[in-house]
Amino acid sequence: MPPVPVVINTDPFCDVDLLPLEETQGKYAVVRLKNAETGTFTPLDTKGAIHGRDYRLVPNTLINQLAQDVLTKTEMPFELLNQAKEFNGHRGQHTVWDGKKFARRWIINQAHSDDRLGTLMMGVEAVNSYDGSFKVGLQFFFINTDCVNQFHSGNLMGSFIFSHFDRGDRTLEADIEQAVTMVGQQAKSFALVLPKLRELLKPMTNGTDSLSRFLAIRNELAAETPAWPPSYDGDVLDELRGCGPTARLKLPQRPSVTNGKHTLWDLLNAYTAVTTHKVGGFRGTSLSRMVTDHFVARAPAWAN
């Protein structure tokens, strides 16, 4: 098994700095975090933490504050995910930090209810990384409030990058104003996402048995990037049978889980139940994005 990554500090808001590397005559610097045990600064042990002289270090404290400023300026009821509401006795994870990458999630307390899709809420995720994994910005997602499944989709909902941190020809204030506008537009137009999701309300079987259709779709996902791990196939099938991650958390089951007449939307919910409640973290987000984008893109073809 691969070695467990060393986390220098479990606090995502710990002190961070850049140390110029003498061997490069100051052309490169490495990101260091303040060690929680020793109180000294320790370099991140990854090539991605070494940056050129033009790199601007953005502490997690700054992106967290920027995101809060943006959401406040929208004058919409955004709250941290697990503080906003308890969904059927379960609270979502609002902060993710693996020692190098950071994400924090808010949702807007405005529900969009649909008889067959369920009740959905839009969310905003602030992201940052010290190892070059992704750029400073905001990403959009939505949750199913029954089971708290998180659906991440760049293709469906877009994202925003604070480009001021990479280029000197724009001001940060301009970035913030653009972010406020984009978040506001996404929140107001979230209902426009629903028709695309309704395309998934077609029967999962389409003339074949459920297992054959599942395997065909699973094989498609195996060719995506990141590829769907076959080790989670059993969890997806358990979720469809009503004994998967949401059942173990004692969350409500979708009606079709009990009557056996599954739709493609049910199957997507089964996948996102696994990515949200079993995989979790950044890997869960990445797999959720891949699966959601794939299902939405393929829905018209699957319906035929």
Side-chain angles (χ1 to χ4, degrees), residues 58-60 63 100-103 126-130 134-137:
V58 181
N60 293 334
I63 180 58
K100 300 171 185 177
K101 301 184 292 293
F102 167 79
V127 297
N128 188 31
S129 68
Y130 295 147
F134 36 68
K135 294 186 177 183
V136 187

Side-chain angles (χ1 to χ4, degrees), residues 107-126:
I107 60 169
I108 183 169
N109 254 322
Q110 293 178 348
H112 295 261
S113 297
D114 183 281
D115 290 342
R116 298 185 66 192
L117 293 174
T119 302
L120 309 178
M121 285 184 173
M122 192 197 88
V124 174
E125 179 181 61

Side-chain angles (χ1 to χ4, degrees), residues 248-268:
R248 290 192 287 272
L249 288 170
K250 299 182 178 179
L251 291 167
Q253 299 291 295
R254 291 183 53 75
S256 58
V257 170
T258 56
N259 64 31
K261 298 179 181 179
H262 302 303
T263 65
L264 293 167
W265 174 243
D266 295 322
L267 182 57
L268 176 57

Side-chain angles (χ1 to χ4, degrees), residues 24-304:
T24 68
Q25 290 76 50
K27 292 181 180 179
Y28 294 92
V30 64
V31 176
R32 304 188 304 173
L33 301 182
K34 190 171 184 178
N35 192 299
E37 296 181 358
T38 66
T40 59
F41 282 84
T42 303
L44 286 176
D45 185 19
T46 174
K47 291 182 179 179
I50 299 176
H51 303 278
R53 65 174 63 184
D54 295 329
Y55 172 76
R56 178 173 177 182
L57 177 65
V58 181
N60 293 334
T61 50
L62 179 54
I63 180 58
N64 181 60
Q65 186 59 55
L66 283 176
Q68 291 187 67
D69 290 346
V70 167
L71 299 181
T72 298
K73 287 187 176 184
T74 66
E75 298 183 345
M76 294 180 174
F78 279 99
E79 298 181 43
L80 274 175
L81 176 57
N82 77 341
Q83 294 177 3
K85 190 176 182 180
E86 183 178 277
F87 302 102
N88 297 307
H90 184 79
R91 294 182 181 274
Q93 183 181 21
H94 68 65
T95 302
V96 184
W97 164 247
D98 66 359
K100 300 171 185 177
K101 301 184 292 293
F102 167 79
R104 200 161 221 210
R105 299 164 183 153
W106 294 259
I107 60 169
I108 183 169
N109 254 322
Q110 293 178 348
H112 295 261
S113 297
D114 183 281
D115 290 342
R116 298 185 66 192
L117 293 174
T119 302
L120 309 178
M121 285 184 173
M122 192 197 88
V124 174
E125 179 181 61
V127 297
N128 188 31
S129 68
Y130 295 147
D131 64 352
S133 301
F134 36 68
K135 294 186 177 183
V136 187
L138 303 175
Q139 297 177 355
F140 300 95
F141 67 98
F142 61 93
I143 66 170
N144 182 329
T145 64
D146 289 336
C147 48
V148 206
N149 291 357
Q150 295 178 18
F151 301 78
H152 296 261
S153 174
N155 293 343
L156 193 61
M157 303 184 67
S159 61
F160 181 86
I161 300 298
F162 285 99
S163 57
H164 171 74
F165 292 120
D166 293 325
R167 305 202 310 260
D169 60 339
R170 302 181 61 213
T171 65
L172 184 57
E173 288 72 20
D175 276 350
I176 292 174
E177 291 307 315
Q178 284 198 4
V180 170
T181 299
M182 185 173 186
V183 171
Q185 289 174 342
Q186 288 284 7
K188 292 175 182 177
S189 63
F190 178 66
L192 299 178
V193 172
L194 302 186
K196 295 182 179 180
L197 298 180
R198 292 191 187 104
E199 289 287 323
L200 296 169
L201 291 171
K202 305 290 179 15
M204 176 180 158
T205 54
N206 195 24
T208 64
D209 64 275
S210 294
L211 182 58
S212 296
R213 171 49 71 95
F214 166 75
L215 292 174
I217 293 175
R218 184 255 172 266
N219 289 338
E220 290 186 22
L221 295 174
E224 290 286 337
T225 302
W228 177 261
S231 58
Y232 293 124
D233 287 350
D235 297 295
V236 176
L237 291 173
D238 282 347
E239 186 67 21
L240 285 176
R241 297 185 186 108
C243 56
T246 56
R248 290 192 287 272
L249 288 170
K250 299 182 178 179
L251 291 167
Q253 299 291 295
R254 291 183 53 75
S256 58
V257 170
T258 56
N259 64 31
K261 298 179 181 179
H262 302 303
T263 65
L264 293 167
W265 174 243
D266 295 322
L267 182 57
L268 176 57
N269 271 270
Y271 271 104
T272 55
V274 174
T275 61
T276 302
H277 302 301
K278 177 152 188 174
V279 184
F282 291 105
R283 191 183 189 207
T285 298
S286 180
L287 289 173
S288 171
R289 182 175 294 109
M290 179 272 288
V291 169
T292 303
D293 282 343
H294 188 88
F295 268 65
V296 172
R298 293 283 290 142
W302 287 341
N304 295 325

